[in-house]
């Protein structure tokens, strides 16, 4: 997985000014209702994408320490957060529309490679910032996260005004020009993560499951102009030594993936728009997959075999985030004693009672140590008395979106309403209530 292999390149940087002013406070916070607490967390986290959005592009910085380095995937999560912001009254519909038009206009001018954006862009110029020496071209997975968000935006702004029509039209151009089939590398039965005009296929990274990349295969099958055939899903994604699992952990069966499920972002990134409720194919029931992955991750923290300080029923969640030694993909099989708030908070749909326990611990008990200008800081380790006072777009976005999916199902409804997505899921032999609705409408 890319985040595991080369995430260590993302070293911790300078603290934002606000974070530098934060003191280690453990004074009790005033109790508010659970609903008010969820709204507070959503709004504060949303501000990372709204107030810290790049002034030229409107897109999201990779992290607070690199304000001009735009992350395409994290920005895809960010455009979904803007829709939440409108629905929750954090901003007006007109404000959200204007920001999204700025974003889409920038993306249309930015560097792309057969319609696919790179991992990083310069927020002012739209030029590629290489992610590594040979990773200086199209990044199919990061672009999939962006398209997941843009399709939700298209489905949300259905009005007849000139601005809303313009926004939908330009999203359509971007969507239609993305050459998913190019990334099969001359018709192989698998998608490849990278292609560069300078280095060709030198990264040589076929995308195989099970991990965070399911949405990439769904979108590739959904493309109206350059679709990848269904066989790439079955022969590429699902043909991996790390795809099928079927074992039980703490009495819970895990259909797919690594032992103990791997980092929890596997249950988040693809499912910000893709609704896992009753979503099934011949490989898995994806609600069971994601809920059990969540519960296994939490139970591991309760069992705490390495005896790290602070772990327990109220303080859990292992996923990719900053660590005291740089960026790392934390999981039960790669446990460094680091808790990432995004892990539990982005799991609200799967285990709301346990996610709320964690939220209350982070907010009320950990106090000012974890809470800053844009919500909860990225990661902490009580064993090392360490808090990473930074924010990362790919960790902040899922908090806002998945809490909203728990509360209203907003992004799930929007994404699953796309006719191309329903058709793609049918083509890949998925079953879902959204597909059944499509079939009923055809009769």
């Amino acid at each position: 997985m890319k985040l595991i292999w080369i995430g260590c390149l993302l070293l911790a940087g300078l603290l934002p000014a606000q974070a530098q002013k934060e003191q280690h406070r453990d004074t009790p916070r005033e109790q508010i209702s659970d609903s008010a607490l969820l709204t507070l967390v959503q709004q504060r986290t949303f501000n990372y994408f709204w107030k810290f959005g790049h002034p030229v592009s409107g897109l999201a910085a990779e992290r607070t320490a690199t304000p001009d380095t735009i992350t395409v995937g994290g920005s895809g999560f960010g455009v979904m957060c803007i829709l939440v912001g409108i629905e929750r009254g954090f901003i007006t519909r007109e404000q959200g529309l204007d920001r999204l038009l700025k974003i889409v206009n920038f993306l249309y001018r930015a560097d792309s490679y057969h319609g696919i954006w790179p991992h990083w862009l310069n927020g002012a110029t739209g030029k590629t910032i290489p992610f590594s020496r040979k990773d200086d071209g199209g990044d199919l997975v990061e672009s999939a996260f962006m398209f997941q968000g843009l399709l939700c935006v298209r489905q949300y702004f259905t009005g007849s005004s000139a601005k809303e029509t313009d926004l939908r039209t330009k999203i359509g151009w971007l969507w239609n020009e993305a050459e998913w089939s190019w990334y099969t590398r001359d018709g192989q039965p698998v998608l490849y993560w990278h292609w560069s005009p300078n280095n060709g296929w030198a990264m040589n990274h076929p995308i195989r499951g099970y991990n965070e990349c399911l949405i990439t295969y769904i979108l590739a099958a959904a493309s109206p102009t350059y679709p990848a055939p269904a066989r790439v899903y079955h022969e590429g994604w699902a043909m991996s030594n790390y795809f099928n699992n079927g074992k039980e952990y703490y009495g819970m069966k895990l259909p797919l993936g690594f032992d103990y499920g791997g980092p929890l972002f596997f249950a988040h990134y693809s499912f910000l728009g893709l609704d896992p409720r009753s979503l099934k194919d011949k490989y898995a029931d994806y609600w069971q997959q994601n809920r059990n992955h969540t519960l296994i991750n939490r139970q591991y923290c309760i069992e705490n075999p390495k005896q790290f300080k602070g772990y327990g029923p109220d303080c859990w969640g292992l996923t990719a985030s900053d660590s005291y030694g740089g960026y790392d993909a934390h999981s039960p099989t790669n446990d460094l004693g680091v808790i990432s708030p995004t892990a539990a908070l982005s799991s609200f749909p799967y285990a709301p009672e346990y996610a709320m326990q964690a939220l209350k611990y982070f907010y009320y008990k950990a106090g000012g140590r974890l809470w800053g200008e844009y919500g909860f800081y990225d990661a902490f380790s009580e064993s090392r008395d360490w808090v990473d006072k930074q924010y990362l777009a790919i960790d902040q976005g899922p908090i806002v979106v998945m809490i909203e999916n728990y509360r209203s199902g907003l992004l799930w409804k929007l994404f699953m309403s796309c006719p191309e997505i329903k058709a793609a899921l049918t083509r890949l032999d998925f079953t879902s209530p959204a597909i059944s609705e499509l079939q009923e409408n055809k009769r």
Side-chain angles (χ1 to χ4, degrees):
M1 295 168 296
K2 186 172 185 178
L3 285 174
I4 295 174
W5 289 355
I6 54 182
C8 59
L9 297 173
L10 306 179
L11 299 178
L14 299 174
L15 302 181
Q18 177 69 21
Q20 293 178 22
K21 297 176 183 177
E22 287 289 335
Q23 298 177 350
H24 283 239
R25 300 188 302 270
D26 290 299
T27 53
R29 292 179 179 274
E30 180 183 353
Q31 296 282 324
I32 58 178
S33 71
D34 290 356
S35 178
L37 181 56
L38 287 173
T39 300
L40 173 63
V41 170
Q42 283 185 292
Q43 184 165 17
R44 197 59 96 87
T45 310
F46 160 80
N47 282 338
Y48 179 87
F49 301 96
W50 189 254
K51 292 185 178 180
F52 194 60
H54 194 277
V56 176
S57 67
L59 292 163
E62 170 75 17
R63 56 172 64 230
T64 39
T66 57
D68 289 319
T69 300
I70 297 306
T71 169
V72 168
S75 294
F77 302 163
V79 301
M80 301 171 96
C81 292
I82 291 173
L83 302 182
V84 175
I86 295 169
E87 286 294 294
R88 290 283 159 191
F90 306 155
I91 55 174
T92 67
R93 185 182 180 94
E94 192 70 12
Q95 286 174 315
L97 177 58
D98 287 343
R99 173 68 65 86
L100 289 163
L101 274 170
K102 174 190 279 192
I103 287 170
V104 168
N105 284 330
F106 183 86
L107 287 173
Y108 195 76
R109 298 190 304 270
D111 284 352
S112 68
Y113 305 89
H114 293 271
I116 298 298
W117 297 287
H119 189 118
W120 284 337
L121 289 167
N122 181 295
T125 67
K127 296 300 181 183
T128 300
I129 297 176
F131 192 76
S132 65
R133 190 169 65 85
K134 293 185 178 180
D135 185 358
D136 62 349
D139 185 310
L140 198 65
V141 176
E142 292 286 307
S143 296
F145 297 151
M146 175 58 76
F147 278 114
Q148 181 178 214
L150 291 178
L151 289 177
C152 289
V153 170
R154 185 194 72 181
Q155 297 302 103
Y156 185 83
F157 286 98
T158 58
S160 58
S161 71
K163 281 187 180 179
E164 294 199 23
T165 301
D166 187 35
L167 180 63
R168 289 195 306 273
T169 298
K170 288 174 177 173
I171 291 173
W173 291 345
L174 295 169
W175 174 228
N176 289 334
E177 290 175 5
E179 297 180 33
W180 303 88
S181 56
W182 171 265
Y183 286 80
T184 61
R185 194 171 176 177
D186 299 320
Q188 294 184 42
V190 66
L191 293 173
Y192 279 79
W193 200 309
H194 316 87
W195 179 81
S196 158
N198 299 315
N199 297 295
W201 303 104
M203 291 293 291
N204 194 30
H205 191 165
I207 306 170
R208 301 190 187 276
Y210 186 74
N211 49 50
E212 76 275 25
C213 305
L214 174 62
I215 192 67
T216 311
Y217 276 85
I218 303 298
L219 289 166
S223 171
T225 44
Y226 298 96
R231 66 188 289 250
V232 305
Y233 176 74
H234 298 291
E235 298 179 28
W237 169 252
M239 292 296 289
S240 164
N241 293 335
Y242 301 103
F243 189 76
N244 290 308
N245 187 306
K247 292 183 266 186
E248 289 192 0
Y249 306 88
Y250 309 115
M252 291 168 281
K253 184 176 181 180
L254 190 69
L256 304 175
F258 294 86
D259 286 344
Y260 296 89
L264 261 180
F265 72 90
F266 291 0
H268 304 149
Y269 292 1
S270 283
F271 299 97
L272 300 184
L274 185 66
D275 187 349
R277 295 174 297 182
S278 299
L279 180 69
K280 303 175 184 178
D281 65 5
K282 66 182 181 179
Y283 307 111
D285 175 326
Y286 290 90
W287 182 259
Q288 178 194 36
Q289 169 70 26
N290 292 342
R291 177 169 166 78
N292 285 358
H293 184 185
T294 302
L295 296 177
I296 290 165
N297 192 289
R298 176 179 182 266
Q299 190 61 38
Y300 170 86
C301 292
I302 294 172
E303 298 286 332
N304 192 13
K306 295 187 176 181
Q307 298 299 298
F308 286 118
K309 181 181 177 182
Y311 280 30
D314 296 338
C315 185
W316 59 276
L318 306 178
T319 194
S321 72
D322 277 348
S323 190
Y324 47 81
Y327 192 88
D328 215 321
H330 310 105
S331 73
T333 56
N334 184 40
D335 182 12
L336 304 177
V338 173
I339 297 294
S340 314
T342 186
L345 302 184
S346 301
S347 298
F348 252 96
Y350 309 128
E353 66 280 22
Y354 300 140
M356 183 59 75
Q357 278 183 263
L359 171 53
K360 289 180 176 179
Y361 177 86
F362 299 150
Y363 186 73
Y364 292 118
K365 293 186 180 180
R369 291 182 299 151
L370 300 186
W371 184 253
E373 186 174 6
Y374 302 123
F376 294 110
Y377 295 128
D378 193 60
F380 65 98
S381 172
E382 293 197 16
S383 291
R384 291 178 173 257
D385 192 27
W386 170 84
V387 177
D388 175 52
K389 291 188 175 181
Q390 285 203 76
Y391 298 97
L392 278 69
I394 56 171
D395 291 340
Q396 295 302 98
I399 294 173
V400 178
V401 173
M402 290 302 261
I403 289 177
E404 191 58 39
N405 279 333
Y406 160 67
R407 300 180 85 179
S408 71
L410 174 66
L411 286 310
W412 285 343
K413 292 173 186 175
L414 290 169
F415 188 74
M416 299 300 281
S417 72
C418 296
E420 307 100 309
I421 298 305
K422 296 177 182 181
L425 291 171
T426 300
R427 193 174 304 124
L428 298 179
D429 298 324
F430 280 83
T431 59
S432 160
I435 300 172
S436 300
E437 178 186 332
L438 174 68
Q439 292 169 341
E440 286 294 324
N441 292 338
K442 285 183 175 180
R443 291 177 183 172

